[in-house]
């Protein structure tokens, strides 16, 4: 399964970089969303994929029954998802604001600080 | 010893306050510190003269074996005495020279910091401590050269001196570290000098060149000599101190210090011998074409530094004796001459010797002191400078490897010109008819005459009674530099021999040159190529080139185009990571697709299709909707592969994202393709290269485990220690709680930012 996921992650990265290289502000935002998703999925994949072994402990036990998927990358990704959303919200509002001020969507025309 | 080194820094902090409180007499009061230091170092003389060398160690960080250690032997004592002794007179002199100057308190503060750094430099045993003091002297001398900071030239020359010496300092640091490695991890000078097999180190040549780059820039050797005369922008007391006893001799000190460890190397011999001799000649020629009192002296200093470097390079017993004698003689006469030059400038208002004349009646003491010191500079009996020059001639004749003819010829040539310039300095301003000067001259105040008179007197006494300096300080210094015990005797009369003949020749031709000096000057004025192709022009070209490269790379790399930055970043990642990946993967990567269930393949295909569609569609709504498919598909993958928490988080965040995009993006313009088809193909290729790299990366690292993961411990602790059955949650709120706190902080900050931007928009509308 990791082999298939490797190609999925690769495709996501390629799509995100392609979008970020566009000159439109809106496409930049879409690229950002894809990029944070692909990074999360990358970490998730390289930590090893397990089917049906969530890191949960049944009542009265001290360890998950029958093995477990690695919980540490999951914790890291969870943090990353939430922070990614925070950054996204900020970026979206910032871009919206920038568009209102400069009336321009083309990044190549937003090169200097005094427009 | 620690107190002796640090007292200068302490007084540096107190000096401004003391100067304000004591006003007129502050110079005399402040001079008590260097005078006390001088006496302190004098008390070391008997022990050191007996051949002792003392290492004083203060534990600094005992646990790490870091110590503050000081080395007192003949060489460091000679320097310490010169610094504190001449320093005393300089401080007194500055009180007169800068009398009533607005920044006098500041001047004293920097001066004491400089003096303390220099003292620290010459007594340091640890080479890192030595380097720190070395750089401190560069920085404090920068402040001293640029002391008249309202003058544009002073600022420019101060920066020039700083850049040249600090560039050398950088190389020196590399050289010193290599030196320590070559000596087997030994960071003390005493340990390095005792180390064996240093020449066997594979990087010996690089190390030697790095150290020499540092010492050559500091000691103004060709082709780095140009900064030193420019440093004349400093007030005269600074010039006198920097050019006699200190700063510029730091490089000479280090070369002398390392000589026992390096002398076997042929590279050391030729580098020092050739560059030293060339510097000696360059200094003399440049002195000959100068008319400013300070410029003449500055160029003769370059001559002296070249001579010292050459003598250390020649490295025979006689050469080292000559070097140490010359060092002492030069310090004495040069400090005196500089102070006299300052007195002339101060009293007449001009620096040009051709504009002065007939001053012997109004400034008789200055005249006599100038004659004595200049005789020592010219190397005439019975002055100490004569002994030094005789020894120097003798040493150049003894150079090995066919260098004798070269060094001896250059030595005589330079001596001829120095005799002429000594005569110019001592006679031109004082004899002949009185000339009108911008200020009406009268004798300089006692504070400005004390130093020159005492130092010129010492030149005479040491010349007549050579055994005093020989036994007290020159012999132990020579022993330290030569690395072996020997006895030194200094006499005026050596009998009729080759050096004496060379001296007589130099004096006769020098006097002829003096007689014809005006003609020579006119001749030099026509030779403008020196200014056009000199080393200073090289420095200017180099600085221009740095600015040009900076502008060029800013234009290329930081041109303000977002896509340009991204391209650079992505291509760098692909290049470097790809290169490493290629180097580390020798087995073909296994492509295991047999374990994939159908529903998993469908989800994966949906995610990929969504991402591709979002990239190519021209509909905003379509893009947002397919983004949602990608996000929810990823959430499914999390759930399928044992991460239910990630799945639920992803679903919630994805929902919010879609809502946010729908709310905001539809206030933005339609998708427009700004870029050409060619650009799109280029971008697609770059994007695919990164995607491909990521795929390869995952395939390559899939089975690699470099260390035992800590996860199993976290799982085991979760229930007993964390009292939670959802291990991911326990990690987030317990084991890595600080991380989560940081996360909350980031989200809070983003929320404040979003709120502020929306708020301002409302206010804009209200206006």
């Amino acid at each position: 399964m990791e082999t298939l996921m490797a190609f999925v992650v690769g495709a996501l990265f390629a799509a995100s970089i392609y979008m970020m290289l566009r000159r439109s502000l809106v496409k930049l935002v879409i690229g950002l969303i894809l990029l944070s998703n692909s990074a999360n999925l990358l970490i998730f994949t390289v930590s090893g994929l397990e089917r049906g072994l969530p890191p949960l402990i049944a009542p009265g036990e001290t360890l998950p029954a029958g093995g477990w998927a690695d919980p540490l990358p999951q914790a890291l990704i969870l943090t990353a998802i939430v922070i990614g959303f925070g950054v996204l919200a900020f970026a979206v509002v910032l871009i919206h604001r920038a568009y209102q001020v400069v009336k321009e969507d083309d990044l190549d025309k937003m090169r200097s600080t005094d427009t | 010893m620690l107190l002796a080194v640090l007292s200068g820094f302490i007084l540096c902090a107190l000096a401004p306050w003391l100067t304000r409180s004591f006003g007129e007499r502050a110079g005399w009061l402040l001079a008590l510190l260097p005078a006390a230091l001088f006496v302190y170092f004098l008390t070391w003389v008997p022990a050191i003269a007996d051949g002792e060398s003392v290492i004083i160690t203060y534990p600094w960080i005992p646990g790490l074996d870091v110590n503050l250690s000081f080395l007192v032997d003949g060489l460091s004592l000679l320097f310490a005495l010169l610094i504190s002794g001449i320093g005393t007179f300089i401080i007194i002199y500055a009180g007169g020279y800068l009398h009533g100057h607005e920044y006098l308190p500041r001047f004293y503060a920097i001066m004491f910091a400089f003096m303390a750094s220099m003292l620290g430099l010459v007594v340091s045993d640890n080479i890192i401590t030595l380097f720190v003091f070395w750089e401190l002297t560069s920085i404090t001398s920068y402040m001293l050269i640029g002391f008249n900071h309202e003058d544009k030239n002073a600022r420019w020359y101060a920066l020039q001196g700083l850049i040249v010496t600090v560039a050398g300092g950088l190389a020196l640091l590399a050289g010193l570290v290599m030196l320590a490695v070559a000596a087997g991890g030994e960071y003390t000078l005493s340990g390095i000098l005792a180390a064996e097999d240093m020449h066997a180190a594979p990087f010996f040549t690089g190390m030697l060149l790095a150290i020499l780059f540092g010492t050559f820039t500091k000691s103004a050797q060709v082709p780095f000599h140009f900064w030193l005369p420019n440093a004349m922008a400093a007030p005269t007391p600074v010039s006198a101190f920097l050019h006699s006893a200190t700063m510029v001799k730091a490089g000479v000190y280090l070369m002398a210090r390392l000589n026992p460890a390096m002398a076997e190397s042929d590279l050391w011999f030729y580098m020092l011998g050739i560059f030293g001799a060339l510097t000696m000649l360059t200094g003399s020629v440049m002195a000959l074409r100068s008319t400013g009192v300070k410029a003449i002296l500055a160029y003769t200093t370059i001559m002296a530094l070249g001579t010292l470097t050459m003598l250390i390079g020649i490295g025979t017993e006689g050469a080292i004796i000559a070097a140490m004698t010359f060092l002492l003689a030069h310090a004495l006469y040069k400090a005196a001459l500089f102070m006299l030059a300052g007195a002339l400038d101060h009293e007449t208002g001009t620096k040009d010797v051709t504009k002065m004349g007939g001053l012997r009646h109004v400034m008789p003491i200055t005249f006599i002191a100038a004659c004595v010191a200049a005789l020592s500079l010219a190397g005439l009996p019975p002055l100490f400078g004569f002994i030094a020059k005789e020894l120097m001639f003798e040493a150049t004749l003894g150079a090995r490897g066919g260098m004798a003819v070269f060094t001896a010829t250059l030595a005589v040539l330079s001596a001829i010109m120095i005799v002429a310039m000594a005569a110019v300095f001592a006679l031109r301003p004082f004899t002949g008819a009185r000339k009108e000067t911008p200020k009406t001259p009268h004798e300089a105040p006692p504070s400005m005459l004390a130093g020159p008179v005492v130092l010129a007197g010492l030149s005479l006494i040491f010349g007549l009674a050579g055994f005093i300096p020989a036994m007290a300080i020159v012999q132990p210094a020579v022993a330290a530099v030569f690395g072996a015990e020997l006895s030194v005797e200094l006499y005026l009369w050596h009998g009729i021999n080759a050096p004496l003949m060379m001296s007589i020749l130099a004096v006769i031709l020098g006097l002829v040159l003096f007689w014809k000096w005006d003609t020579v000057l006119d001749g030099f004025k026509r030779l403008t190529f020196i200014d056009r192709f000199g080393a200073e022009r090289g420095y200017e070209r180099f600085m221009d080139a740095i600015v040009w490269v900076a502008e060029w790379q800013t234009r290329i790399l930081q041109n303000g185009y977002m896509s340009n930055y991204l391209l650079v970043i992505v291509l760098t990642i692909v290049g470097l990571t790809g290169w490493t990946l290629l180097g580390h993967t020798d087995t073909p990567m296994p492509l295991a697709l047999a374990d994939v269930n159908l529903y998993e393949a469908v989800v994966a295909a949906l995610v990929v299709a969504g991402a591709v569609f979002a990239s190519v569609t021209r509909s905003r709504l379509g893009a947002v909707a397919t983004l949602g498919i990608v996000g929810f598909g990823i959430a499914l993958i999390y759930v399928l592969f044992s991460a239910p928490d990630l799945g639920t988080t992803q679903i919630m965040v994805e929902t919010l994202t879609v809502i946010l995009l729908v709310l905001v993006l539809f206030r933005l313009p339609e998708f427009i393709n700004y870029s050409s088809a060619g650009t799109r193909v280029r971008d697609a290729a770059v994007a695919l290269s990164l995607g491909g790299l990521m795929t390869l990366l995952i395939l390559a690292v899939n089975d690699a485990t470099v260390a035992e993961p800590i996860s199993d411990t976290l799982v085991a602790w979760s229930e007993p220690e964390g009292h939670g059955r959802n291990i991911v949650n326990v990690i987030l709120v317990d084991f890595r709680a600080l991380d989560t706190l940081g996360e909350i902080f980031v989200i809070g900050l983003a929320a404040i930012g979003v709120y502020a931007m929306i708020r301002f928009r409302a206010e804009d509308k209200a206006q």
Side-chain angles (χ1 to χ4, degrees):
Chain A
M1 188 62 200
E2 280 89 349
T3 310
L4 178 64
M5 287 301 292
F7 288 97
V8 174
V9 171
L12 282 178
F13 264 108
S16 71
I17 293 298
Y18 179 76
M19 288 305 268
M20 288 177 79
L21 283 169
R22 308 271 49 78
R23 278 159 65 180
S24 158
L25 271 176
V26 185
K27 291 188 176 179
L28 176 68
V29 173
I30 293 175
L32 266 178
I33 297 172
L34 284 172
L35 187 67
S36 87
N37 272 328
S38 30
N40 290 342
L41 213 51
L42 172 82
I43 301 173
F44 190 65
T45 307
V46 293
S47 69
L49 300 172
E50 304 281 351
R51 292 188 183 84
L53 293 172
L56 300 171
I57 303 168
E61 307 278 326
T62 54
L63 286 176
W68 55 82
D70 194 341
L72 189 59
Q74 295 190 17
L76 297 179
I77 295 169
L78 211 151
T79 311
I81 293 174
V82 177
I83 290 192
F85 177 70
V87 171
L88 173 74
F90 188 80
V92 165
V93 176
L94 182 67
I95 283 169
H96 182 224
R97 177 89 184 121
Y99 177 70
Q100 278 186 325
V101 175
V102 299
K103 304 279 180 236
E104 184 56 70
D105 174 51
D106 186 352
L107 278 167
D108 282 7
K109 294 191 180 146
M110 296 170 74
R111 287 176 60 202
S112 90
T113 44
D114 12 85
T115 17
Chain B
M1 176 55 80
L2 188 63
L3 182 69
V5 172
L6 292 183
S7 59
F9 290 114
I10 297 167
L11 200 61
C12 160
L14 294 178
W17 174 76
L18 284 172
T19 316
R20 285 200 193 90
S21 312
F22 289 87
E24 298 279 299
R25 300 268 153 245
W28 297 92
L29 179 80
L30 288 170
L32 285 176
L33 174 78
L37 286 176
F38 182 72
V39 172
Y40 167 75
F41 285 115
L42 269 186
T43 61
W44 281 86
V45 167
I48 300 299
D50 281 347
E52 272 186 58
S53 98
V54 185
I55 295 170
I56 307 164
T57 303
Y58 298 93
W60 190 352
I61 312 172
L64 291 175
D65 245 2
V66 175
N67 295 320
L68 201 57
S69 57
F70 296 111
L71 169 68
V72 186
D73 64 1
L75 183 63
S76 48
L77 192 61
L78 171 62
F79 270 91
L81 284 171
L82 286 176
I83 293 164
S84 54
I86 295 178
T88 308
F89 292 116
I90 296 290
I91 297 293
I92 297 172
Y93 180 84
Y97 186 83
L98 291 173
H99 179 76
H101 195 287
E102 187 185 356
Y103 297 128
L104 188 59
R106 183 187 304 176
F107 175 81
Y108 279 129
I110 310 172
M111 203 68 180
F112 277 112
F114 175 74
M115 201 173 74
S117 318
M118 204 59 214
L119 266 182
L121 169 61
V122 297
V123 295
S124 286
D125 186 36
N126 184 304
I127 54 173
I128 299 299
T129 324
L130 184 147
F131 175 76
V132 170
F133 283 121
W134 178 285
E135 292 293 67
L136 274 176
T137 63
S138 291
I139 294 166
T140 45
S141 75
Y142 164 71
M143 292 193 264
L144 287 171
I145 299 171
F147 181 67
N148 292 322
H149 57 84
E150 281 146 20
D151 179 2
K152 190 171 161 240
N153 279 339
R155 292 200 305 269
W156 168 255
Y157 290 140
L159 190 64
Q160 190 183 52
L162 184 74
I163 288 175
V164 173
T165 51
V166 169
L170 214 57
L172 180 72
L173 178 62
L176 288 178
V177 171
M178 285 192 268
L179 184 69
V181 174
E186 190 61 70
Y187 276 88
T188 58
L189 281 173
S190 36
I192 287 167
L193 295 182
E196 285 169 10
D197 293 338
M198 209 141 66
H199 296 261
F203 46 78
F204 182 79
T205 305
M207 172 189 90
L208 196 88
L209 292 178
I211 292 176
L212 286 186
F213 184 60
T215 56
F216 279 13
T217 50
K218 193 80 159 182
S219 279
Q221 299 294 304
V222 167
F224 307 112
H225 60 281
F226 56 87
W227 73 264
L228 197 149
N230 290 342
M232 289 301 122
T236 304
V238 175
S239 310
F241 200 33
L242 256 67
H243 296 106
S244 55
T246 52
M247 165 92 170
V248 292
K249 291 233 177 94
V252 172
Y253 165 77
L254 195 62
M255 287 188 272
R257 177 55 85 200
L258 295 177
N259 185 55
M262 303 285 179
E264 283 172 41
S265 156
D266 273 345
L267 184 66
W268 175 264
F269 168 69
Y270 285 113
M271 287 287 289
L272 263 60
I274 292 174
F275 279 95
L278 287 178
T279 307
M280 174 175 73
L281 189 69
T282 308
S284 309
V285 174
M286 299 299 273
L288 195 62
R289 66 189 282 266
S290 309
T291 56
V293 273
K294 285 176 75 180
I296 294 172
L297 295 178
Y299 283 116
T300 60
T301 302
I302 293 182
M303 176 280 296
L305 294 169
T307 310
L308 288 169
T309 306
M310 175 187 76
L311 288 173
I312 294 170
I314 292 173
T316 55
E317 188 182 316
I320 301 297
I321 296 174
M324 291 301 110
T325 314
F326 195 89
L327 181 88
L328 180 59
H330 173 254
L332 293 177
Y333 70 67
K334 188 50 67 67
L337 286 173
F338 256 117
M339 288 195 252
L340 293 167
L344 282 174
D345 169 24
H346 193 254
E347 295 303 324
T348 62
T350 176
K351 288 190 168 89
D352 195 335
V353 279
T354 58
K355 299 208 171 89
M356 301 179 206
L359 292 171
R360 66 183 181 283
H361 300 297
V362 279
M363 302 174 78
I365 306 177
T366 310
F367 175 50
I368 294 167
C371 282
V372 175
L375 280 176
S376 192
L377 166 68
L380 288 176
L383 277 302
F384 196 47
F386 173 70
I387 302 181
K389 182 162 281 189
E390 293 283 287
L391 287 169
M392 190 264 283
F393 281 147
E394 197 177 338
T396 57
L397 290 172
R400 67 184 153 104
M403 287 272 284
V405 179
F406 175 69
T407 50
T409 314
L410 261 54
V412 173
L413 279 178
S414 114
I416 294 170
M417 290 181 262
I418 294 304
V419 168
M421 290 325 287
V424 166
F425 185 89
L427 300 178
R428 271 296 182 118
F430 299 102
T431 57
R434 264 301 292 280
K435 288 186 185 170
E436 281 306 310
T437 48
K439 279 162 83 176
T440 312
H442 42 76
E443 191 58 272
S447 57
M448 290 174 68
L449 286 176
V453 168
V454 173
L455 293 173
L458 278 178
S459 290
L460 187 61
I461 295 169
F462 283 180
L464 292 171
F467 63 91
I468 303 177
M471 279 175 21
I473 193 68
V474 174
Q475 179 172 320
V478 170
V481 179
F482 195 59
E485 286 299 318
L486 42 83
S487 80
V488 174
E489 291 177 352
L490 302 177
Y491 299 111
L492 280 173
W493 179 248
H494 283 267
I496 298 170
N497 52 12
L500 187 67
M501 291 299 137
M502 288 160 84
S503 278
I504 293 172
L505 180 72
V507 171
I508 293 171
L509 288 179
L511 288 176
V512 172
L513 199 58
F514 167 64
W515 180 45
K516 291 280 177 200
W517 187 53
D518 289 316
T519 326
V520 174
L521 265 187
D522 285 341
F524 270 122
K525 274 185 194 134
R526 266 177 257 127
L527 294 178
T528 49
F529 72 93
I530 300 180
D531 293 319
R532 266 186 287 131
F533 299 106
E536 184 167 10
R537 186 46 61 90
Y539 165 83
E540 283 165 14
R541 288 265 163 79
F542 181 69
M543 298 309 282
D544 288 346
I546 289 179
V547 172
W548 185 83
V549 169
E551 277 173 356
W552 171 80
Q553 68 97 22
T554 310
R555 219 164 41 232
I556 299 294
L557 295 177
Q558 310 201 358
N559 55 6
Y561 290 108
M562 170 80 177
S563 54
N564 191 60
Y565 296 101
L566 262 176
L567 277 179
V568 170
I569 293 171
V570 170
L571 288 178
T572 310
I573 293 174
V574 171
L576 293 181
T577 319
W579 177 255
T580 318
L581 198 62
L582 277 180
H584 285 78
T585 318
D586 31 14
T587 51
M589 298 161 190
L591 288 179
L593 288 168
D595 63 336
V596 180
N597 295 322
L598 180 63
Y599 60 91
E600 293 164 352
V602 171
V603 174
L606 267 180
V607 170
V608 173
V612 172
F613 185 79
S615 320
V616 296
T617 181
R618 303 193 63 165
S619 143
R620 288 175 297 171
L621 188 63
V624 172
T626 43
L627 263 189
I629 293 178
V630 172
F632 287 114
I634 290 174
L636 263 178
I637 292 174
Y638 288 147
V639 174
L640 287 175
F641 294 98
S642 317
D645 297 285
L646 291 189
T648 47
T649 316
Q650 176 78 10
I651 287 169
M652 282 189 276
V653 164
E654 208 49 54
T655 314
L656 280 173
T657 305
V658 171
I659 294 171
L660 188 71
L661 289 179
V662 170
L663 278 180
V664 174
L665 287 194
F666 285 88
R667 295 167 189 250
L668 293 175
E670 297 276 338
F671 277 5
I672 308 162
N673 270 328
Y674 293 110
S675 36
S676 63
T679 317
R680 287 208 295 277
V681 169
R682 180 201 66 185
D683 292 348
V686 170
L688 282 174
S689 73
L690 186 81
L693 176 79
M694 288 302 170
T695 303
L696 288 176
L697 198 64
I698 295 175
L699 293 176
V701 302
N702 206 9
D703 290 322
T705 307
V706 284
E708 191 61 30
I710 60 166
S711 312
D712 293 346
T713 321
L714 295 180
V715 172
W717 284 354
S718 179
E719 208 279 330
E721 303 283 336
H723 302 286
R725 297 202 303 276
N726 183 335
I727 301 168
V728 175
N729 282 1
V730 173
I731 292 175
L732 281 174
V733 299
D734 197 331
F735 300 147
R736 302 181 57 87
L738 210 58
D739 264 9
T740 309
L741 186 70
E743 177 193 347
I744 293 169
F745 188 71
V746 169
I747 295 294
L749 210 61
I752 293 171
V754 168
Y755 177 74
M757 278 189 283
I758 293 171
R759 215 34 232 176
F760 284 140
R761 187 180 58 195
E763 279 171 15
D764 282 353
K765 274 185 185 156
Q767 280 169 6

